[in-house]
Amino acid sequence: MTTLRTSFLLPTSLTCLMTHPAEMIRLLQDIVGTEHVLTAEAASAYCTDWRGRYSGQALAVVLPGDTQQVSDVVKWCAAHHIAIVPQGGNTSLCGGSVPVPDVQQVVINLSRMNRIISVDAGNHTMTVQAGCALATVREAAKSVECLFPLGLTAIAEHCEIGGNISTNAGGIGVLRYGNMRDLVLGLEVVLPDGRIWNGLRSLRKDNTGYDLKHVFIGAEGTLGIVTAAVLKLFPQPQATVTAIVALGNATSAARMLEAVRKNCGNTLSGFELISRDCLELVFKHIPETSEPFDKKHRWYLLIQLTDVLKSPLQETLLDTITSFTAPDFDYRITADAETAERWWKLRRNISEAQKREGLSIKHDVSVPVSQIAQFLLHADGVLQNNYPDVRILAFGHMGDGNIHYNVSMPDGAANKQFIAEQENTVNKLVYEVVRELGGSISAEHGLGQLKRDTIRDYKSALELELMRDIKRAFDPHGLMNPGKVL
Ligand SMILES: Cc1cc2nc3c(=O)[nH]c(=O)nc-3n(C[C@H](O)[C@H](O)[C@H](O)COP(=O)(O)OP(=O)(O)OC[C@H]3O[C@@H](n4cnc5c(N)ncnc54)[C@H](O)[C@@H]3O)c2cc1C
């Protein structure tokens, strides 16, 4: 397994080896119960990331049952100068949720704290423990005829609300409902010294000074452990229509986005871009998937409109699409859930198909929505000039300017060498295009270990200094998730 981490410095107190690990584990067991402290083989799955790219060792993986236990474990770690890795579903795509090598760490996994605490239908809010799976929250919302719109559908059964909050997760639907930051009203957080901050407010207006919850949202576990949250709920849509559109170039895709936005307004709730190469990989690795059109096309769009009114969405979308002209253009539209699901299956399984195919150099970038076609054109051109055989898998949430742009060689052996030798150069080529277009090198996955060093080249010295000041203010001893973000 390759660990592509560059070195970093921790306070010396954190690197010291503890003399009596068995005694330490016994003390942790006293807090959470023997069966909730995992070590050795039982801990290993929690110490390796979803892609199998990063792994480290932990003194133990601890699974607390409530906020007080989280606080007690954190106090214990602080007293012993042991670093902490907060963990939810461990689906991070940037090595954020696993221990780094050569540091004494305890993983605090929140998965046992998976209770829906309360639902306030009148206030359109739900209060949940941080270990609730996203799928559980979505189901609970549905059971009271509401919607919790965070759309990480490929992974909703595995990822957890605490992880979603800590990565400020996005996914499908951001263009309509915003990302996780827009969906949280209040938080409960265990601070790095073990104190519990109860900010579980369910207010839509609260201008009483600094809005502290936002410091923890997207902090990737470097400032504290989220233990509970108040989430916003929305009315459940009554009407849905989905279109799959085939196009010859990305510029037409950008024009289509403009047209749909203009004609369909706020009913637009999904606008996803898929390249032909992505579809080929899905057909190769995922059973029961099939071509949506008779003929192959260079690009595909999945467009979804939803409305809480039983409005004639199909007509509006059909009007928009039929009045559109572009080279190599085709489309299908449906209001039938099963047909739509077949199309969404193609989009949802791209990550899984890539995982089965093997490693690639991954980029989760964003540019202004108006610059997406430029990005694809420039980045493809630069890479193809440098590596004529390169395979580029581009797909993503085009509606919010977020493209997953993954680069590899089609041949397995050549790919291994390509990644080992060219990863830094490829990153630089892609990120320079992103920079020129005013974009970000991490749209929704965060920095974790993967982009911790790279970000220094893409944020100003002042911005980085302010981030370090915040880190020092909350976590002066650098105990929370060392080796990530900063
Ligand atoms: C197939 C696949 C598809 C994906 N699709 C998307 C997508 O569409 N959009 C998107 O945004 N992401 C996506 N992701 C990335 C990932 O699922 C998200 O980042 C998710 O929010 C992580 O949740 P988790 O519970 O697994 O967190 P983890 O992976 O366990 O942790 C992620 C980060 O949050 C921290 N953390 C976790 N829980 C807490 C807590 N309670 N308190 C403080 N810090 C905590 C960890 O330390 C780590 O830094 C995808 C991942 C996969 C594997």
Side-chain angles (χ1 to χ4, degrees):
M1 190 170 303
T2 11
T3 300
L4 301 171
R5 185 181 61 85
T6 52
S7 65
F8 58 92
L9 289 176
L10 280 166
T12 45
S13 58
L14 294 185
T15 57
C16 71
L17 285 176
M18 311 308 293
T19 40
H20 300 297
E23 174 60 7
M24 304 192 117
I25 286 161
R26 198 189 57 71
L27 292 168
L28 288 169
Q29 288 171 339
D30 284 349
I31 301 173
V32 296
T34 310
E35 67 276 34
H36 303 308
V37 178
L38 310 178
T39 57
E41 202 42 44
S44 69
Y46 296 83
C47 295
T48 302
D49 76 323
W50 189 81
R51 281 189 180 137
R53 181 173 178 165
Y54 292 100
S55 67
Q57 289 207 325
L59 174 72
V61 175
V62 179
L63 293 102
D66 59 31
T67 302
Q68 191 55 55
Q69 288 186 1
V70 176
S71 163
D72 291 344
V73 173
V74 170
K75 278 184 186 153
W76 181 91
C77 288
H80 291 84
H81 301 289
I82 291 177
I84 294 158
V85 182
Q87 189 181 75
N90 196 14
T91 66
S92 164
L93 292 175
C94 53
S97 51
V98 291
V100 289
D102 307 324
V103 178
Q104 186 92 323
Q105 290 145 108
V106 163
V107 173
I108 300 186
N109 181 293
L110 279 285
S111 302
R112 282 181 65 224
M113 294 173 56
N114 57 5
R115 220 161 37 84
I116 307 282
I117 298 169
S118 63
V119 178
D120 184 344
N123 195 40
H124 274 241
T125 51
M126 181 186 286
T127 306
V128 305
Q129 287 187 311
C132 273
L134 173 60
T136 308
V137 170
R138 286 178 60 97
E139 273 308 307
K142 206 170 166 189
S143 70
V144 290
E145 292 174 11
C146 285
L147 173 75
F148 182 66
L150 189 71
L152 277 62
T153 39
I155 205 82
E157 280 160 22
H158 303 284
C159 64
E160 297 171 10
I161 287 300
N164 300 151
I165 290 169
S166 303
T167 56
N168 186 24
I172 294 154
V174 169
L175 77 175
R176 168 86 165 270
Y177 299 100
N179 46 19
M180 200 60 188
R181 189 178 296 286
D182 303 297
L183 304 176
V184 174
L185 288 178
L187 287 184
E188 179 187 73
V189 180
V190 172
L191 301 173
D193 60 7
R195 284 178 298 165
I196 301 168
W197 172 55
N198 184 342
L200 284 177
R201 301 187 191 102
S202 50
L203 304 173
R204 284 177 170 78
K205 287 192 167 182
D206 178 15
N207 280 349
T208 51
Y210 306 136
D211 198 340
L212 292 178
K213 66 177 178 288
H214 286 300
V215 177
F216 297 101
I217 300 172
E220 299 184 48
T222 60
L223 300 178
I225 304 184
V226 175
T227 45
V230 182
L231 306 174
K232 283 186 200 168
L233 300 180
F234 295 80
Q236 187 69 245
Q238 301 300 315
T240 301
V241 62
T242 309
I244 189 160
V245 173
L247 293 161
N249 58 57
T251 314
S252 305
R255 282 198 299 113
M256 176 63 88
L257 175 59
E258 251 323 279
V260 177
R261 268 190 190 287
K262 207 164 149 194
N263 294 350
C264 308
N266 273 346
T267 59
L268 178 61
S269 56
F271 196 99
E272 297 289 306
L273 179 75
I274 306 170
S275 74
R276 178 68 209 173
D277 288 340
C278 292
L279 272 201
E280 296 282 359
L281 221 58
V282 171
F283 297 146
K284 180 173 169 190
H285 292 289
I286 309 294
E288 292 167 34
T289 51
S290 57
E291 290 280 356
F293 298 98
D294 302 334
K295 172 178 164 231
K296 294 179 182 177
H297 300 263
R298 174 79 185 86
W299 293 101
Y300 301 85
L301 293 172
L302 260 174
I303 305 172
Q304 186 185 59
L305 307 186
T306 51
D307 203 343
V308 288
L309 304 174
K310 289 192 173 131
S311 41
L313 293 175
Q314 189 147 354
E315 268 171 45
T316 321
L317 189 55
L318 196 62
D319 283 352
T320 308
I321 292 180
T322 48
S323 51
F324 191 81
T325 52
D328 198 19
F329 171 55
D330 204 349
Y331 66 89
R332 308 259 186 282
I333 293 188
T334 188
D336 172 56
E338 241 175 69
T339 310
E341 177 49 32
R342 269 208 309 281
W343 299 340
W344 279 108
K345 186 174 176 183
L346 302 174
R347 167 64 185 88
R348 273 206 310 274
N349 278 292
I350 297 173
S351 294
E352 183 57 32
Q354 284 185 94
K355 191 179 176 190
R356 293 183 195 180
E357 181 76 1
L359 284 181
S360 60
I361 305 173
K362 296 197 189 299
H363 308 97
D364 158 43
V365 299
S366 64
V367 293
V369 177
S370 55
Q371 301 296 322
I372 288 263
Q374 283 303 318
F375 167 75
L376 292 167
L377 217 64
H378 285 193
D380 284 9
V382 168
L383 287 175
Q384 279 154 357
N385 276 345
N386 283 275
Y387 311 102
D389 298 332
V390 74
R391 174 164 69 183
I392 299 168
L393 295 170
F395 64 101
H397 316 298
M398 182 164 179
D400 26 81
N402 177 191
I403 295 294
H404 301 305
Y405 191 81
N406 301 336
V407 182
S408 60
M409 287 291 167
D411 171 76
N415 189 40
K416 226 172 167 183
Q417 193 182 357
F418 172 68
I419 293 177
E421 291 173 2
Q422 300 299 320
E423 178 160 30
N424 288 342
T425 313
V426 168
N427 286 344
K428 204 158 176 49
L429 292 171
V430 173
Y431 292 154
E432 282 310 314
V433 179
V434 170
R435 190 207 302 265
E436 277 164 30
L437 297 173
S440 165
I441 68 161
S442 180
E444 60 176 12
H445 296 160
L447 299 174
Q449 302 181 56
L450 181 68
K451 295 178 184 170
R452 175 184 171 270
D453 295 321
T454 316
I455 194 61
R456 292 178 197 155
D457 297 330
Y458 296 92
K459 268 195 196 290
S460 72
L462 177 61
E463 209 167 345
L464 287 168
E465 195 44 45
L466 292 171
M467 282 169 64
R468 285 191 202 103
D469 287 348
I470 291 172
K471 171 75 174 168
R472 266 192 295 273
F474 280 84
D475 184 20
H477 305 297
L479 286 173
M480 278 292 164
N481 219 3
K484 323 286 167 51
V485 181
L486 283 167

